[in-house]
């Protein structure tokens, strides 16, 4: 079966750095996505990786290792507004997104 | 730009009743999707449409039907609602002609079936 694993919840301090991991087992791979979802709102796109390596976008970076079935989202200089759930999703061989359950990130002052 | 709109925002429905959740996008995206989101689970695909006039089944299609008469609209119908269909429903769209093809989500419909 297809599976996306990520931690249920993480806590970090304002101004610090946090890394959210995602491991996957899917039938085929056509890219990995990270989305941010604030409570009661819709998911919004953060990043996309299809090749191995690091993609940087401001305070957010995402890393992919296809051989290990592994990705992480790195958030730097954490702000209170970064408190949200972070969803990892993999596009499978049918070009459909398989979603993890999300990691709830709690930022403390 | 409105992006994607969904209606209603929330609804309480008696079991056995039918209901249509509406979704409209103004981005001229060819692909559209319906997901449900339940606590502790990832988003699960109900139905999708790669282009107007075509639809396909996702991971959890039973009890739901869709139509795609034009590019902009993708309604989701529950023919006879059951309590297990209590969920938050998200509609999404994507432009499949690009390199990334990220999905854009509507604000969601919170449905409670009693």
């Amino acid at each position: 079966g297809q599976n996306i694993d990520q931690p249920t919840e993480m806590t970090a301090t304002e101004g610090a750095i946090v890394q959210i991991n995602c491991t996957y087992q899917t039938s085929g791979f056509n890219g990995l996505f990270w989305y941010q979802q604030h409570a009661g709102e819709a998911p919004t796109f953060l990043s996309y990786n299809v090749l191995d390596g690091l993609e940087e976008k401001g305070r957010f970076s995402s890393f992919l290792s296809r051989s290990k079935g592994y990705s992480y989202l790195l958030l730097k200089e954490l702000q209170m507004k970064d408190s949200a759930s972070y969803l990892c999703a993999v596009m499978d061989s049918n070009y459909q997104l398989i979603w993890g359950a999300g990691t709830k990130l709690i930022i403390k002052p | 730009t409105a992006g994607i709109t969904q209606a209603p925002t929330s609804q309480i429905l008696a079991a056995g009743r039918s209901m249509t959740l509406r979704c409209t996008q103004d981005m001229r995206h060819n692909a559209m999707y319906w997901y449900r989101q339940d606590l502790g689970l990832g988003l699960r695909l109900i139905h999708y449409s790669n282009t107007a006039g075509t639809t396909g089944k996702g991971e959890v299609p039973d009890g739901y039907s869709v139509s795609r008469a034009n590019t902009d609209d993708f309604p989701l119908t529950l023919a006879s609602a059951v309590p297990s269909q209590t969920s938050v429903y998200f509609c999404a769209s994507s432009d499949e002609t690009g390199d990334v093809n990220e999905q854009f989500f509507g604000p969601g419909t919170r449905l409670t079936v009693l």
Side-chain angles (χ1 to χ4, degrees), chain A residues 33 35 37 41-43 45 48 96-97 99-101, chain B residues 35 37 40 42-43 45 48 90 100 102-103 105-106:
Chain A
F33 295 77
Y35 279 76
Q37 185 177 25
E41 298 184 7
F45 170 74
Y48 170 73
Q96 291 187 2
L97 282 179
W99 295 81
Chain B
Y35 291 95
Q37 188 174 41
L43 288 160
L45 183 65
Y48 65 93
F90 286 103
V100 177
E102 72 267 33
Q103 294 183 10
F105 285 79

Side-chain angles (χ1 to χ4, degrees), chain A residues 85-102:
Chain A
S85 289
Y86 292 86
L87 315 181
C88 174
V90 172
M91 186 164 284
D92 70 8
S93 56
N94 293 320
Y95 292 91
Q96 291 187 2
L97 282 179
I98 309 301
W99 295 81

Side-chain angles (χ1 to χ4, degrees), chain B residues 4-72:
Chain B
I4 301 185
T5 58
Q6 292 184 236
T9 302
S10 64
Q11 183 75 44
I12 299 174
L13 188 67
R17 300 296 294 268
S18 67
M19 178 173 183
T20 295
L21 281 60
R22 300 184 298 279
C23 174
T24 300
Q25 54 108 356
D26 64 1
M27 297 176 284
R28 308 302 295 172
H29 285 171
N30 53 320
M32 296 188 75
Y33 314 85
W34 274 106
Y35 291 95
R36 60 178 290 173
Q37 188 174 41
D38 302 290
L39 199 62
L41 299 177
L43 288 160
R44 292 184 291 170
L45 183 65
I46 304 171
H47 285 286
Y48 65 93
S49 169
N50 289 328
T51 189
T54 69
T55 63
K57 293 182 179 180
E59 179 187 355
V60 289
D62 293 345
Y64 306 95
S65 63
V66 291
S67 61
R68 186 88 183 277
N70 56 61
T71 298
D72 299 344

Side-chain angles (χ1 to χ4, degrees), chain A:
Chain A
Q2 307 200 92
N3 197 47
I4 311 283
D5 285 318
Q6 47 181 134
T8 302
E9 186 175 296
M10 299 182 70
T11 302
T13 304
E14 190 177 14
I17 300 172
V18 71
Q19 177 175 311
I20 301 174
N21 295 327
C22 170
T23 58
Y24 63 89
Q25 292 176 307
T26 57
S27 56
F29 179 86
N30 285 297
L32 185 144
F33 295 77
W34 284 96
Y35 279 76
Q36 180 189 60
Q37 185 177 25
H38 285 100
E41 298 184 7
T44 55
F45 170 74
L46 284 178
S47 69
Y48 170 73
N49 296 70
V50 67
L51 299 176
D52 290 351
L54 190 68
E55 293 282 342
E56 296 186 80
K57 209 188 256 190
R59 293 188 300 114
F60 293 6
S61 303
S62 56
F63 172 83
L64 174 67
S65 169
R66 289 172 296 171
S67 62
K68 294 182 179 179
Y70 168 71
S71 172
Y72 67 73
L73 180 70
L74 191 71
L75 291 74
K76 303 176 185 176
E77 302 169 15
L78 286 170
Q79 303 174 10
M80 297 303 293
K81 68 178 182 179
D82 298 329
S83 292
S85 289
Y86 292 86
L87 315 181
C88 174
V90 172
M91 186 164 284
D92 70 8
S93 56
N94 293 320
Y95 292 91
Q96 291 187 2
L97 282 179
I98 309 301
W99 295 81
T103 298
K104 182 178 181 181
L105 179 62
I106 299 168
I107 309 295
K108 294 185 175 180

